[in-house]
Amino acid sequence: MTTDPRKRLELLWNGAQRPSRGPKPKLTLDQIATTAIAIADADGLDGLSMQRLAAELGYTTMSLYRYVPGKDQLVEVMLDRAAGDPPRFTGEVRDWRDEIQVWVRELWAVYLRHPWSLRVQVSGPPSGPGQLAWFEAALRPLAHAGLADDELVATVMFLMGAVRQMALLEIDISGARAQSNVTTEEAQTGYETTLREFVDPQRFPTLTALVGRGGFAASGDSGEGIDLDLDFGVQRVLDGLESYLAAQQN
Amino acid sequence: MTTDPRKRLELLWNGAQRPSRGPKPKLTLDQIATTAIAIADADGLDGLSMQRLAAELGYTTMSLYRYVPGKDQLVEVMLDRAAGDPPRFTGEVRDWRDEIQVWVRELWAVYLRHPWSLRVQVSGPPSGPGQLAWFEAALRPLAHAGLADDELVATVMFLMGAVRQMALLEIDISGARAQSNVTTEEAQTGYETTLREFVDPQRFPTLTALVGRGGFAASGDSGEGIDLDLDFGVQRVLDGLESYLAAQQN
DNA sequence: CTAGAACTGTGTATCACTTACACAAAACCG
DNA sequence: CGGTTTTGTGTAAGTGATACACAGTTCTAG
């Protein structure tokens, strides 16, 4: 079922070198990926069909399959390219906490720029040049901070996952608000209201108290606070790493 | 496009009360959801089609649409039920760190039990009874620890996201290994080998060094260490929270 | 310099899936 | 007991991915 992992990587890294035999290909993987990303940015992953992509490029649907084994592989390529360049620090690491924070913010921005990328099934550890560049960018400051190998990997994946998930929530909520016909104001209180209605104080005491104090309005629904929430979490992780490293030095 | 949010919640909470007019429904949302979960557990989300679900139940495809507005809604219900019951602590919170750790482990287990649930598009903040029960279970110890409202929400979502993402990685990797025809041994070194081949030391110095030391073999591909990675991240968050709370008391 | 091999773009066709729509039988209400 | 509501069903439409074969193009071997 799954494609040969070797071919998969070559597509990601080399764009699948073409042999020198037949007619010159008129398309490139680059063109295809770029156009596909544009479509997905505009209309989401659902808006991206091979037929539409081909039409947009001025070719037939099946021609695309000369460049890409299947839609899944195409999406994988899109994903890697859409990641773009991570923030690049050079030379000595000055402030590893700062570098990580910048990294988080930039990654967050990438996700917001390409919301569809959050919808893609991740199918394994990062393997493309784009994904790995982001990995590298986070590894650098953390390695300098003094983490061991396995701790490095753990931390980066942990952070990536958190950013990803928070971004997912952000676009889900803002997306739902945008397309619903209720006013923003209504949407603000809507979630909280329904919670109040359904949530049983016996079974959900902490939650009930929280909703009662309006603690959900801020970050639960308005969506304005999600990046702040992310910031808070990241700060805690960094604090935790610091105290962990400090404890190790004794 | 989106369904009325009100109906959506009623389906999740009440199972959509039936009126007393027409013929008695022979099916229940419960049966449907249970069977659907069984199918998805066995063959994944792709294996779950309305036709197959109906066949398994002994009814026609279209009959299902009397109980569920569409497949998406069904999946949402499945998701909420598959979550099951979170670990339930009662009375005073004794050790909030411990409660959180148990919570994380149990959540991790849920994801492994229902791998398909990681593939589902989350479409907003947790709203069903199952999801909210998990939310409550994490809120409780954290509230006791002394976090403010917005910090509570931030922390829980942050942790949920991290667990989710790590679980996703886990099942992706173990799944890929299971269905590939290479031996486990080969798969172990496979990822690392390809990395070595493609990764440019100039562009990815830290990564290269890491791979060179074999730092990826442990957690990157074998999959044996992912839960350990998660543990490490969670510990750091808890450490961070502790030092944050300690700093506030002064 | 030429024959054939390799490769490209295309048209057709298939298969799987969700879901709209209309209908007949069933159960309840007044 | 007539009418209304609701259920299960059959049919069919629409969409999307992709297998397969064909015709034209370009390179390479001899």
Side-chain angles (χ1 to χ4, degrees), chain B residues 24-229:
Chain B
K24 279 169 196 157
K26 293 172 190 162
L27 281 168
T28 55
L29 184 59
D30 239 58
Q31 271 178 78
I32 295 178
T34 305
T35 310
I37 289 174
I39 295 176
D41 282 347
D43 293 349
L45 265 193
D46 287 343
L48 177 69
S49 70
M50 297 304 270
Q51 359 219 13
R52 167 147 179 218
L53 175 56
E56 210 112 332
L57 286 163
Y59 287 80
T60 50
T61 309
M62 287 315 293
S63 63
L64 300 179
Y65 286 88
R66 295 284 172 199
Y67 297 85
V68 163
K71 192 187 185 182
D72 289 350
Q73 309 292 322
L74 170 62
V75 172
E76 217 170 336
V77 172
M78 290 168 59
L79 204 58
D80 200 77
R81 310 224 168 177
D85 285 325
R88 192 175 298 274
F89 292 89
T90 47
E92 271 295 293
V93 175
R94 290 163 194 269
D95 181 349
W96 63 271
R97 285 191 67 129
D98 183 58
E99 286 199 19
I100 290 293
Q101 282 174 253
V102 171
W103 180 86
V104 165
R105 264 197 293 277
E106 296 280 323
L107 187 56
W108 166 268
V110 168
Y111 285 137
L112 290 201
R113 207 158 32 239
H114 305 292
W116 52 268
S117 66
L118 296 163
R119 298 262 124 90
V120 175
Q121 274 192 24
V122 188
S123 60
S127 308
Q131 301 294 324
L132 285 180
W134 281 91
F135 213 88
E136 166 77 23
L139 282 176
R140 197 185 94 106
L142 292 174
H144 179 266
L147 288 177
D149 285 353
D150 54 342
E151 296 167 351
L152 276 177
V153 177
T155 306
V156 176
M157 296 204 301
F158 192 81
L159 285 175
M160 270 187 163
V163 176
R164 204 187 135 88
Q165 207 64 209
M166 298 301 264
L168 187 56
L169 202 59
E170 163 77 27
I171 64 163
D172 272 338
I173 289 172
S174 62
R177 189 174 29 195
Q179 89 175 157
S180 73
N181 33 8
V182 293
T183 69
T184 309
E185 201 177 314
E186 279 174 351
Q188 286 252 3
T189 51
Y191 178 55
E192 211 183 331
T193 306
T194 33
L195 278 190
R196 273 187 224 272
E197 179 177 349
F198 285 106
V199 168
D200 171 20
Q202 297 290 320
R203 220 181 129 191
F204 306 98
T206 320
L207 187 60
T208 306
L210 185 65
V211 173
R213 290 193 300 268
F216 247 53
S219 49
D221 184 54
S222 79
E224 301 220 349
I226 294 191
D227 52 342
L228 298 179
D229 290 354

Side-chain angles (χ1 to χ4, degrees), chain A residues 103-133:
Chain A
W103 179 87
V104 166
R105 264 196 293 278
E106 296 279 323
L107 186 56
W108 166 268
V110 168
Y111 286 137
L112 290 202
R113 206 159 31 240
H114 304 292
W116 53 268
S117 66
L118 294 163
R119 298 262 126 88
V120 176
Q121 275 193 24
V122 190
S123 60
S127 308
Q131 300 295 324
L132 285 180

Side-chain angles (χ1 to χ4, degrees), chain A residues 3-250:
Chain A
T3 327
D4 178 14
R6 186 44 174 275
K7 296 241 167 158
R8 192 177 135 244
L9 288 206
E10 290 200 344
L11 195 66
L12 283 173
W13 286 86
N14 304 332
Q17 264 111 351
R18 298 273 150 182
S20 58
R21 256 323 173 63
K24 279 168 194 157
K26 294 171 191 162
L27 281 168
T28 56
L29 184 59
D30 239 57
Q31 271 178 77
I32 295 177
T34 305
T35 309
I37 289 174
I39 294 177
D41 282 347
D43 293 350
L45 265 193
D46 287 341
L48 177 70
S49 68
M50 297 304 270
Q51 0 223 7
R52 166 145 180 220
L53 175 55
E56 210 111 332
L57 286 162
Y59 288 80
T60 50
T61 308
M62 288 315 292
S63 63
L64 300 179
Y65 286 89
R66 294 285 173 201
Y67 298 85
V68 164
K71 192 186 183 181
D72 289 350
Q73 308 293 321
L74 170 61
V75 172
E76 217 170 335
V77 172
M78 290 168 59
L79 205 58
D80 200 77
R81 310 225 168 178
D85 285 324
R88 191 175 298 275
F89 292 89
T90 48
E92 271 295 293
V93 174
R94 289 164 194 269
D95 180 350
W96 63 271
R97 283 191 69 129
D98 182 57
E99 286 199 19
I100 291 292
Q101 282 175 256
V102 172
W103 179 87
V104 166
R105 264 196 293 278
E106 296 279 323
L107 186 56
W108 166 268
V110 168
Y111 286 137
L112 290 202
R113 206 159 31 240
H114 304 292
W116 53 268
S117 66
L118 294 163
R119 298 262 126 88
V120 176
Q121 275 193 24
V122 190
S123 60
S127 308
Q131 300 295 324
L132 285 180
W134 281 91
F135 213 87
E136 165 77 23
L139 282 176
R140 197 184 95 106
L142 292 174
H144 179 267
L147 287 177
D149 285 354
D150 53 341
E151 297 167 350
L152 276 177
V153 178
T155 306
V156 176
M157 296 203 300
F158 193 81
L159 286 175
M160 270 188 163
V163 176
R164 203 186 135 87
Q165 207 64 210
M166 298 300 264
L168 187 56
L169 203 58
E170 163 77 27
I171 64 163
D172 272 338
I173 289 172
S174 62
R177 190 174 27 195
Q179 89 175 157
S180 74
N181 33 9
V182 293
T183 68
T184 309
E185 200 177 314
E186 279 175 353
Q188 287 253 1
T189 51
Y191 178 54
E192 210 183 332
T193 305
T194 33
L195 278 189
R196 272 186 224 272
E197 179 177 349
F198 285 106
V199 167
D200 171 19
Q202 297 290 319
R203 219 180 130 193
F204 307 99
T206 321
L207 186 60
T208 306
L210 186 64
V211 172
R213 289 194 301 269
F216 247 53
S219 48
D221 183 54
S222 80
E224 300 220 350
I226 295 191
D227 51 342
L228 298 179
D229 290 354
L230 175 61
D231 251 35
F232 180 79
V234 171
Q235 293 299 336
R236 278 342 109 219
V237 173
L238 295 178
D239 288 354
L241 287 174
E242 247 177 22
S243 76
Y244 176 72
L245 289 167
Q248 271 191 325
Q249 284 199 327
N250 305 344

